[in-house]
Amino acid sequence: MEDRTGQAVEAGAAAVLGFDPGDPAFRTDPYAHYRRLASGKGRLHQTDVGLRVTTSYGLCERVLRDPRFGHRPEGGGLWRESRTRNRSFLTLDPPDHTRLRRLVSKAFTPRLVERLRPRVEALVDELLDGVSGEVDLIAALAYPLPVIVISEMLGVPAKDRDLFKGWSDSLARGLDPDFLLPESEIASRETAREEFAAYFQELSTERRVRPREDLLSALVSVSDGGDVLSEEELLATCVLLLVAGHETTVNLIGNGALALLRDPAQLELFRRRPGNVQAAVEELLRYDPPVQLTLRAALEDVDLDGVFVERGRLVLLLTGAANRDPAVFDDPDRLDLTRYSEGRETPRHLSFGHGIHFCLGAPLARLEGQVALKKLFERDVALSGGADLVYRDNLVLRGLRDLPVTIRA
């Protein structure tokens, strides 16, 4: 696509994806579209440019755990490589992915996350105490909570947190493939990445000289048998932790709160059974997940569900659709907060991925979502009337620009 204006990008995206991600109806309810796609084109179909697309839970799960599928092969694919050299382990294949994830996981353990619970609880209380009347729940709670948490974990000074807002918005939009983005947004993403990297380069230099009890110091010093993170790998990991560890949690809280506010019976159940919050958040993650899709490339020729996928070809995994696959989930379009309670069923949603790329930050996202929603709905909260809700432009991430609610003290 030589002309990369917004209109041209949307037209090209429809040919590539098989649907128009800019359609307001799709943004409001992608699940209705997914149902039509599944009923009309089967488990695996091909778009005008050869992209394979699936809404099937079984196929999504299979591709995510199949070592014959990975991230884009060098020099191939439907989008350009980032203009920066470094890429996080999220977009790498083994053995590079294995090495980097092993190193990072040493500094990002479940034990470290669980130690954060009292602090997360205190932060939610601070953010909500004294709040009453009509407020934007995204600005009041869903956005600041995870950005404060990840900033404190990394050791970012409080005075610098506001810098993250612009960087995070640009970097999150950059999770969408380049063929969906106007040239201006690609440029904004690369500028944000460079500024963010420069900031953390300076901060990491400080930590090498004067380490502290924070995640950045741990990442700077982490090692395994003499293997360490290079400077580029460290910076790419910090970018990943900001975007994947922050933006997805914003959407988990926002989407989860909206789902409950729209379903009074389930909201009453949520309030009546506070001990069920863990299972409830798993159902909210399935019902309206923060991450809607991912791409994988065939690293060799593969027979997928009887369809030949040649090496280098991409498969679009609509995991948001897979989470509502009727072949796996009973009454999949109904929010059921007891779906995973009392051992009825093991959570099988794909909202954190599957296989070797399962989200490293899942324990933190779950913790923040559980605490935020539990404490929020201890209060009298209702949706505010007025304008229709507007979703952000992202395709990979699904989240609201704002969520007007009324909180009665």
Side-chain angles (χ1 to χ4, degrees):
M1 283 178 284
E2 295 299 326
D3 178 4
R4 296 190 62 81
T5 63
Q7 185 175 6
V9 168
E10 287 185 7
V16 171
L17 301 171
F19 58 88
D20 178 7
D23 181 353
F26 175 82
R27 291 200 188 284
T28 299
D29 183 12
Y31 307 105
H33 168 82
Y34 296 153
R35 286 192 294 273
R36 290 192 296 270
L37 198 64
S39 63
K41 297 189 176 181
R43 281 163 52 99
L44 185 67
H45 69 274
Q46 183 171 307
T47 68
D48 293 346
V49 301
L51 178 69
R52 303 289 184 178
V53 180
T54 184
T55 61
S56 160
Y57 180 97
L59 288 185
C60 287
E61 183 187 42
R62 175 181 164 187
V63 170
L64 288 171
R65 62 180 168 79
D66 192 331
R68 296 175 298 172
F69 288 93
H71 290 278
R72 52 192 182 272
E74 291 299 321
L78 289 166
W79 63 86
R80 289 176 294 210
E81 297 287 343
S82 170
R83 292 166 192 167
T84 54
R85 290 175 297 166
N86 50 319
R87 288 163 50 193
S88 75
F89 60 84
L90 184 68
T91 61
L92 295 175
D93 298 319
D96 292 333
H97 169 268
T98 309
R99 170 185 161 267
L100 291 176
R101 184 180 173 107
R102 185 184 69 245
L103 287 172
V104 174
S105 67
K106 285 179 173 291
F108 205 86
T109 64
R111 181 177 60 84
L112 175 64
V113 170
E114 186 55 35
R115 280 169 47 196
L116 292 171
R117 184 177 293 274
R119 178 56 179 155
V120 173
E121 291 174 343
L123 283 171
V124 174
D125 286 337
E126 289 174 21
L127 292 168
L128 291 177
D129 283 354
V131 174
S132 64
E134 185 168 319
V135 299
D136 172 12
L137 193 63
I138 304 300
L141 175 64
Y143 173 77
L145 174 64
V147 82
I148 293 172
V149 170
I150 198 64
S151 296
E152 289 186 349
M153 285 183 71
L154 286 166
V156 172
K159 65 182 177 61
D160 292 341
R161 284 179 200 149
D162 287 345
L163 293 172
F164 278 28
K165 175 61 175 170
W167 289 336
S168 188
D169 288 347
S170 296
L171 292 169
R173 182 67 170 125
L175 290 177
D176 289 350
D178 281 7
F179 62 76
L180 290 180
L181 304 180
E183 193 70 50
S184 59
E185 292 196 14
I186 293 175
S188 294
R189 177 193 65 194
E190 299 304 326
T191 298
R193 191 183 299 273
E194 290 166 6
E195 291 176 352
F196 184 88
Y199 174 85
F200 268 96
Q201 190 167 30
E202 182 176 343
L203 204 60
S204 63
T205 299
E206 277 184 32
R207 292 298 187 273
R208 285 191 171 90
V209 177
R210 290 182 294 277
R212 301 182 185 178
E213 293 294 322
D214 58 38
L215 182 55
L216 183 57
S217 296
L219 290 172
V220 166
S221 63
V222 71
S223 64
D224 185 7
D227 193 9
V228 298
L229 288 171
S230 70
E231 186 75 13
E232 287 185 9
E233 291 165 349
L234 172 66
L235 297 178
T237 299
C238 289
V239 171
L240 173 64
L241 292 175
L242 171 65
V243 178
H246 162 243
E247 289 287 343
T248 53
T249 308
V250 174
N251 296 341
L252 164 58
I253 296 170
N255 296 355
L258 177 61
L260 290 170
L261 288 167
R262 282 177 164 172
D263 194 327
Q266 291 298 302
L267 177 54
E268 176 59 26
L269 179 64
F270 184 81
R271 285 175 164 146
R272 202 169 64 241
R273 299 180 61 182
N276 191 53
V277 65
Q278 182 175 342
V281 167
E282 294 304 315
E283 171 66 351
L284 292 167
L285 281 162
R286 181 201 69 84
Y287 183 76
D288 195 10
V291 178
Q292 290 283 303
L293 59 89
T294 188
L295 284 159
R296 289 293 187 271
L299 303 179
E300 59 185 76
D301 294 346
V302 180
D303 182 308
L304 182 61
D305 206 36
V307 175
F308 177 72
V309 181
E310 66 181 343
R311 181 186 181 279
R313 287 290 183 179
L314 291 170
V315 180
L316 178 64
L317 308 175
L318 294 174
T319 51
N323 280 351
R324 295 194 184 199
D325 187 340
V328 176
F329 303 99
D330 292 333
D331 201 1
D333 293 319
R334 182 171 72 89
L335 180 66
D336 177 7
L337 298 188
T338 65
R339 188 181 298 270
Y340 299 125
S341 62
E342 298 173 356
R344 284 179 55 194
E345 186 178 334
T346 300
R348 298 179 64 192
H349 62 73
L350 299 176
S351 301
F352 291 123
H354 190 67
I356 64 169
H357 286 284
F358 183 82
C359 178
L360 192 65
L364 180 59
R366 284 174 162 134
L367 170 64
E368 291 176 313
Q370 291 164 15
V371 173
L373 292 171
K374 181 176 181 294
K375 286 184 171 291
L376 171 67
F377 288 112
E378 289 171 354
R379 293 158 170 80
D380 185 356
V381 187
L383 279 173
S384 297
D388 292 336
L389 295 171
V390 178
Y391 284 83
R392 295 167 68 183
D393 290 337
N394 302 71
L395 173 66
V396 173
L397 300 178
R398 172 170 168 78
L400 296 154
R401 288 187 185 171
D402 46 48
L403 179 55
V405 300
T406 301
I407 301 179
R408 298 176 181 88

